[in-house]
Amino acid sequence: MAKRTAEFEALLTPGEVANMFRVDAKTVTRWAQQGKIPFVWTLGGHRRYPEKKIHALLAQGTTQRKA
């Protein structure tokens, strides 16, 4: 996990998020592409997921599924 500092929010990798939701990392990428989970781009062009927002989604028990 990323270190926390006063200036930056901790970010998670797709694999870390996948472990939390117990899904494959490709599923996490697909959710991000569909706008179901928030992400940011790194300077290297990789997706990273804000830790606080991911934990909030887990607490809700959802990935904002649409019926």
Side-chain angles (χ1 to χ4, degrees):
M1 261 194 243
K3 285 190 171 186
R4 295 176 194 234
T5 66
E7 297 175 18
F8 300 103
E9 180 178 359
L11 299 173
L12 302 171
T13 66
E16 291 170 330
V17 176
N19 286 337
M20 295 168 84
F21 282 98
R22 297 183 181 180
V23 297
D24 191 83
K26 290 186 181 201
T27 300
V28 173
T29 299
R30 188 170 50 251
W31 288 345
Q33 290 170 340
Q34 294 171 350
K36 294 181 179 183
I37 58 175
F39 69 92
V40 296
W41 290 105
T42 67
L43 293 177
H46 299 278
R47 284 186 184 89
R48 293 296 181 259
Y49 304 88
E51 184 178 36
K52 288 181 184 180
K53 292 180 182 178
I54 297 300
H55 282 291
L57 287 173
L58 280 170
Q60 292 174 5
T62 181
T63 56
Q64 301 174 352
R65 292 183 192 170
K66 296 180 183 175

